[in-house]
Amino acid sequence: MLAKTMVDVPFEVVEISYSEEETINIVKSHLTDADVDTIKKYMKRYGNKPRFICQALKTGR
């Protein structure tokens, strides 16, 4: 009964998106030594997704 009640609870899907400038600022706030050209290179590959860009910069992929 509890499972059915939980499934009936409505929810809302939220999409979070960042502009190019916001993505650069977020990445630089986490990795201060990252340069803008390198960040933009990874933005072409991963889009405006700071988490993936930071991971790529850390691992060099």
Side-chain angles (χ1 to χ4, degrees), residues 4-61:
K4 182 184 181 320
T5 304
M6 290 177 65
V7 172
D8 288 340
V9 175
F11 61 93
E12 185 175 331
V13 175
V14 178
E15 180 180 344
I16 299 173
S17 61
Y18 301 104
S19 69
E20 180 178 315
E21 184 179 333
E22 289 172 322
T23 302
I24 292 169
N25 289 336
I26 292 167
V27 172
K28 287 193 72 58
S29 72
H30 289 280
L31 303 169
T32 55
D33 60 337
D35 66 287
V36 175
D37 292 333
T38 306
I39 295 170
K40 286 184 178 182
K41 178 183 91 173
Y42 284 113
M43 286 173 68
K44 288 180 182 177
R45 182 182 297 170
Y46 298 109
N48 293 350
K49 298 178 182 173
R51 180 186 308 168
F52 294 117
I53 296 168
C54 286
Q55 186 66 34
L57 287 167
K58 288 177 185 177
T59 61
R61 292 185 181 189

